[in-house]
Amino acid sequence: MNLNERKLQILQAIISEFINTAEPVGSRYLSKSYNMGISPATIRNEMADLEDMGYLTHPHTSAGRVPSDKGYRLYVDELMDAGELPEEKKQAIQSRLDQARRELDNTIEHAADLLSEITQLTSFAVAPGNLKSRLKYVQFLPVDSNTVVLMIVAEDGQVVNKAIRLSVPYKEKDLELMSKMMTRNYMGKKVTALMAMNIVEDFTKDMHSLSALARDVAPSFMKTLEKMLDAELYMYGYTNLFKLPEFSADMERAVSFLRVLEDRDYLTDVLVNRDSGVIITIGDENAEAMKDCSLITADYCVNGRYVGKLGVIGPTRMRYGQVTSVIKYICDHLSDTFQIEEEDYGKD
Amino acid sequence: MNLNERKLQILQAIISEFINTAEPVGSRYLSKSYNMGISPATIRNEMADLEDMGYLTHPHTSAGRVPSDKGYRLYVDELMDAGELPEEKKQAIQSRLDQARRELDNTIEHAADLLSEITQLTSFAVAPGNLKSRLKYVQFLPVDSNTVVLMIVAEDGQVVNKAIRLSVPYKEKDLELMSKMMTRNYMGKKVTALMAMNIVEDFTKDMHSLSALARDVAPSFMKTLEKMLDAELYMYGYTNLFKLPEFSADMERAVSFLRVLEDRDYLTDVLVNRDSGVIITIGDENAEAMKDCSLITADYCVNGRYVGKLGVIGPTRMRYGQVTSVIKYICDHLSDTFQIEEEDYGKD
DNA sequence: GTTAGCACTCATTAGTTGTGAGTGCTAACA
DNA sequence: TGTTAGCACTCACAACTAATGAGTGCTAAC
């Protein structure tokens, strides 16, 4: 049994119909509304074939057909239209994004927010910590008699800081000295390399004059470095899910969905380890916890260098074509915005 | 009609019963289980009085009684027990919190997380930006040919930073110069005062040598200052709500609850503007959007100075006594942990 | 290969009824 | 005068029934 033109046509009709209505699609309706010139009975035969091949299923005997994950996969790969966005939509997105284009972090957050608004799904943006980033300098700032702020700056401009409570008194001079020593010792080293080192020992050896202070600070220093490698996750529109018929009918399902979204560490992990490019994963192609969801993600770049991902998560029934187009466009637009502005530089 | 001892006793019984079961409480059950030595009929008379006084309501004619918001208020003010936590619970909380006690931000997050776990409600912690904070220094760090990081440090140790894309080229020297000029001009000034100033004009006047650069940076500088006054909000356990019977039965209600939680700006605003101390607000005592919720918050301090709030949000039916005890204890413990460690200082 | 016809399935909805928890009221009681 | 037993009444809820209708699968004819 092979997928001839007519079978594909019927599959496409069923899937786009189901995506719109969330109701199982029957043969009679199809025959009428999509006037393909064949009778319901013929369509039923074809449907039965498509079901045998695994592209469709049945919620129960007397219901219409519903796409399976495999069916969606075929749809996404072969049938759907994820073309260019119409010009007016592009304009609308642009004007919304260009408001704060000088600021990297804000822009990404806005983009994610906008994405959830347009798609009416849950959107997220993730900016993984740069594994290759190298330390630029370390600085301790005095705050009050027993609190200092540790600040670490990486060569790529990432800054992390942490307030630290000390159990021993310090002199401003000591802090300065320690800042300088640490900067000298660790400058240019990869953050990952530093984390593998036995810094605590290092500290007490190199900085005997400051040993008590240094020993106090070492664990926090490691924690702060860790923070540098941590990914940042933004998430928007998780109540959008409840507007969808599949969830407003089925509370259980909605809650198990929410629980996945609540586990930010898990979600971050999934996203960070995801392949690059425009990636769509459908239902059981995802890990067990997300086998009822589909994810679409794409990458955005700064100066052509990969920086993070933007995407949506939703039920397997979603407008794959439109959503993909929007995500693609937003990511491309972000990457363009954060391209080195050569024209500007040329001017001066 | 006044609230005699017996009425109070009945009210207390109804409320604690309802808090446990989420089912309307009937007169017969009360008479049997709480053996107060009076018949159901008498209890019914008292109940009718309590209802006239506004402390109870009726979901429908043939149902038992349910506390009203006013009833909960009386309960919270007069009847409930929010005493000391038993020693073993204190121990458990302490040991969970003491893991990362050198790091301020982590500890607060852990505390909020723990709070949601213990209470099985949604917890949050908010650390409002310090309105009195004064600027300590400003620094621009070069990242790549058209990106710099702006870093602002306040006297109290708060650090904010932002990556900024420039449209004009810069020299490292210019950045240094600008950092120095801004630090000199703004050091010791209140952040709120700076925000009221017309910095953009200031910039072009004071720094004519850097005018293009300065003009480019000014709006981002303002935005970054803003960030310094923004409150940080952490939230944990919002799916806990779905475990409660009032929400698993009534989807609508759960969703409208979630929508409130999703609006972080609104929630932050409510929390920041809340009175100090251990505050309980019940049902319609809250703003319209939260008229079905109750909030309990308390403050935590660092070095005796007010720093932020920790609390829970849940349905009006909650274990006010226990939850209040836990929140109080956690806040006190945090404040102790972040008290200047005089003993330690004495040693050296 | 296509289609009309028909029996069959099954979710959904509306209607019906019984049950039980609980109230409010009244009249009798201490 | 406060307390209580008794009883009629209310109303949510669950169980059952029947009707409806959308849709399938199969068969036989075209």
Side-chain angles (χ1 to χ4, degrees):
Chain A
M1 201 150 35
N2 65 338
L3 273 171
N4 57 28
E5 189 56 36
R6 192 170 70 182
K7 280 199 175 62
L8 283 176
Q9 220 182 329
I10 290 174
L11 186 62
Q12 169 143 41
I14 292 174
I15 295 184
S16 41
E17 195 61 32
F18 185 72
I19 285 177
N20 278 323
T21 62
E23 297 291 327
V25 184
S27 56
R28 181 127 68 105
Y29 176 83
L30 227 54
S31 160
K32 266 188 199 161
S33 305
Y34 280 73
N35 54 337
M36 306 193 249
I38 46 177
S39 77
T42 312
I43 292 179
R44 279 206 289 282
N45 287 331
E46 298 286 39
M47 280 173 157
D49 289 351
L50 285 167
E51 188 165 349
D52 287 345
M53 289 186 266
Y55 296 113
L56 296 176
T57 25
H58 248 161
H60 57 86
T61 341
S62 69
R65 289 321 201 285
V66 162
S68 67
D69 292 347
K70 187 179 168 190
Y72 281 126
R73 169 51 59 198
L74 184 71
Y75 177 79
V76 164
D77 289 343
E78 315 269 346
L79 305 172
M80 81 176 183
D81 170 32
E84 288 269 302
L85 240 40
E87 202 52 45
E88 78 267 18
K89 285 205 174 173
K90 285 188 183 178
Q91 293 284 329
I93 293 173
Q94 260 183 52
S95 72
R96 288 284 296 275
L97 286 183
D98 283 350
Q99 283 163 16
R101 67 194 219 89
R102 292 265 158 251
E103 291 127 31
L104 183 59
D105 46 355
N106 277 346
T107 311
I108 302 301
E109 282 186 61
H110 280 151
D113 195 11
L114 181 60
L115 181 58
S116 89
E117 194 186 309
I118 295 175
T119 60
Q120 291 288 300
L121 297 168
T122 304
S123 71
F124 45 76
V126 65
N130 184 356
L131 285 172
K132 289 184 196 142
S133 68
R134 289 165 189 280
L135 202 136
K136 187 165 189 172
Y137 71 75
V138 178
Q139 190 160 15
F140 291 90
L141 305 164
V143 175
D144 57 36
S145 61
N146 70 329
T147 315
V148 298
V149 167
L150 163 60
M151 195 161 65
I152 307 178
V153 182
E155 285 179 354
D156 64 359
Q158 211 190 144
V159 183
V160 290
N161 60 268
K162 207 179 198 75
I164 301 177
R165 309 275 301 177
L166 298 176
S167 64
V168 294
Y170 67 88
K171 300 192 200 86
E172 287 215 16
K173 257 183 134 177
D174 290 348
L175 291 186
E176 264 173 51
L177 184 58
M178 193 158 62
S179 302
K180 280 199 185 122
M181 285 175 84
M182 289 177 73
T183 303
R184 200 186 53 222
N185 285 353
Y186 302 142
M187 190 172 69
K189 289 224 165 76
K190 273 191 178 180
V191 174
T192 45
L194 286 174
M195 293 198 55
M197 283 167 57
N198 191 346
I199 296 228
V200 186
E201 202 163 280
D202 224 45
F203 263 45
T204 39
K205 210 167 56 193
D206 287 6
M207 312 187 201
H208 22 253
S209 65
L210 307 167
S211 60
L213 186 61
R215 224 178 307 119
D216 216 26
V217 159
S220 297
F221 179 71
M222 299 302 284
K223 274 260 173 86
T224 314
L225 278 181
E226 238 173 71
K227 216 165 151 182
M228 197 159 246
L229 298 178
D230 276 356
E232 286 254 36
L233 178 73
Y234 306 105
M235 196 166 70
Y236 291 91
Y238 53 78
T239 53
N240 279 347
L241 294 172
F242 291 92
K243 294 177 192 159
L244 301 171
E246 45 265 76
F247 291 114
S248 50
D250 183 354
M251 182 90 173
E252 285 290 304
R253 216 181 138 193
V255 175
S256 73
F257 206 115
L258 260 194
R259 275 199 233 285
V260 175
L261 297 184
E262 196 181 29
D263 190 347
R264 297 175 74 91
D265 289 342
Y266 174 73
L267 205 58
T268 307
D269 202 54
V270 167
L271 294 174
V272 167
N273 292 314
R274 204 169 160 84
D275 285 344
S276 286
V278 179
I279 301 286
I280 304 179
T281 52
I282 300 163
D284 56 18
E285 298 169 5
N286 294 303
E288 174 65 19
M290 297 198 290
K291 70 177 168 42
D292 287 329
C293 320
S294 285
L295 268 83
I296 308 182
T297 52
D299 305 318
Y300 63 87
C301 298
V302 172
N303 294 352
R305 189 170 52 81
Y306 165 67
V307 171
K309 283 180 202 304
L310 189 73
V312 300
I313 182 168
T316 51
R317 180 188 75 86
M318 65 161 81
R319 298 178 199 278
Y320 290 97
Q322 289 173 47
V323 174
T324 306
S325 300
V326 172
I327 295 180
K328 252 192 215 162
Y329 179 71
I330 293 183
C331 279
D332 286 353
H333 183 75
L334 287 177
S335 300
D336 284 352
T337 305
F338 295 126
Q339 192 59 259
I340 294 177
E341 298 170 21
E342 288 177 44
E343 335 75 71
D344 286 339
Y345 275 77
K347 269 195 300 199
D348 290 54
Chain B
M1 201 151 31
N2 66 337
L3 273 171
N4 56 28
E5 191 54 37
R6 192 170 69 184
K7 281 200 175 61
L8 284 177
Q9 220 182 328
I10 290 174
L11 186 62
Q12 169 143 40
I14 292 174
I15 295 184
S16 40
E17 195 61 33
F18 184 72
I19 284 177
N20 278 322
T21 62
E23 297 290 329
V25 183
S27 56
R28 180 129 66 107
Y29 176 83
L30 226 54
S31 160
K32 268 189 200 159
S33 305
Y34 281 72
N35 55 337
M36 305 193 250
I38 46 176
S39 75
T42 312
I43 293 178
R44 279 205 291 280
N45 287 331
E46 297 288 38
M47 280 172 157
D49 289 353
L50 285 167
E51 187 165 352
D52 286 345
M53 289 187 265
Y55 296 112
L56 296 175
T57 26
H58 246 163
H60 58 88
T61 341
S62 70
R65 289 324 202 282
V66 162
S68 67
D69 293 347
K70 188 179 168 191
Y72 281 125
R73 169 50 61 198
L74 184 71
Y75 176 79
V76 163
D77 289 344
E78 316 268 346
L79 305 172
M80 81 176 183
D81 170 31
E84 288 269 300
L85 240 39
E87 203 52 44
E88 78 268 18
K89 286 205 174 172
K90 285 188 182 177
Q91 292 284 329
I93 292 173
Q94 261 184 49
S95 70
R96 288 283 296 274
L97 286 183
D98 283 351
Q99 284 163 16
R101 70 196 216 89
R102 294 264 160 249
E103 291 126 30
L104 183 59
D105 46 356
N106 278 347
T107 311
I108 302 302
E109 282 185 59
H110 280 151
D113 195 11
L114 181 61
L115 181 58
S116 88
E117 194 187 309
I118 294 175
T119 61
Q120 292 287 301
L121 298 167
T122 305
S123 71
F124 45 76
V126 65
N130 184 358
L131 285 171
K132 289 184 194 140
S133 68
R134 291 165 188 280
L135 204 136
K136 186 164 189 173
Y137 70 72
V138 177
Q139 189 161 13
F140 290 91
L141 305 165
V143 175
D144 58 36
S145 58
N146 68 331
T147 315
V148 298
V149 167
L150 163 60
M151 194 160 66
I152 307 178
V153 182
E155 283 179 357
D156 63 359
Q158 211 190 145
V159 182
V160 290
N161 59 268
K162 209 179 196 79
I164 301 177
R165 308 275 302 177
L166 298 176
S167 64
V168 293
Y170 68 87
K171 298 193 202 86
E172 285 213 20
K173 257 183 135 177
D174 290 348
L175 290 187
E176 264 173 53
L177 184 59
M178 194 158 63
S179 302
K180 281 201 184 123
M181 287 176 83
M182 287 177 73
T183 302
R184 200 186 52 220
N185 287 353
Y186 302 141
M187 191 172 67
K189 290 223 165 78
K190 274 193 176 178
V191 174
T192 44
L194 287 173
M195 294 198 55
M197 284 167 56
N198 191 345
I199 297 232
V200 186
E201 203 163 281
D202 224 45
F203 264 44
T204 38
K205 210 168 55 195
D206 287 5
M207 312 187 201
H208 22 252
S209 65
L210 306 167
S211 60
L213 187 60
R215 225 179 305 119
D216 216 26
V217 158
S220 297
F221 179 71
M222 298 303 283
K223 275 261 174 86
T224 314
L225 278 182
E226 238 172 72
K227 217 164 148 183
M228 197 159 245
L229 297 178
D230 275 356
E232 286 253 38
L233 178 72
Y234 306 104
M235 195 165 71
Y236 291 91
Y238 51 79
T239 53
N240 279 347
L241 293 172
F242 291 91
K243 294 176 192 159
L244 300 171
E246 45 264 77
F247 292 115
S248 50
D250 185 352
M251 182 90 173
E252 285 289 303
R253 219 184 135 192
V255 174
S256 74
F257 206 114
L258 260 194
R259 276 198 233 284
V260 176
L261 297 184
E262 195 181 30
D263 190 346
R264 297 175 74 90
D265 289 342
Y266 174 73
L267 205 58
T268 307
D269 202 53
V270 168
L271 294 174
V272 167
N273 292 315
R274 202 168 162 84
D275 285 344
S276 286
V278 179
I279 301 286
I280 304 180
T281 52
I282 300 164
D284 57 17
E285 297 169 6
N286 294 304
E288 173 66 19
M290 297 198 289
K291 70 177 168 43
D292 288 329
C293 319
S294 284
L295 268 82
I296 308 182
T297 53
D299 305 318
Y300 63 88
C301 300
V302 171
N303 295 351
R305 190 170 52 79
Y306 165 68
V307 171
K309 282 179 202 305
L310 189 73
V312 301
I313 183 168
T316 53
R317 181 189 72 89
M318 66 161 84
R319 298 177 197 278
Y320 290 97
Q322 289 173 46
V323 174
T324 306
S325 301
V326 173
I327 294 179
K328 253 193 214 160
Y329 180 71
I330 292 182
C331 280
D332 286 353
H333 182 76
L334 287 177
S335 301
D336 284 353
T337 306
F338 296 127
Q339 191 60 258
I340 294 177
E341 300 170 21
E342 288 177 45
E343 336 75 70
D344 288 337
Y345 275 77
K347 269 192 300 201
D348 292 52

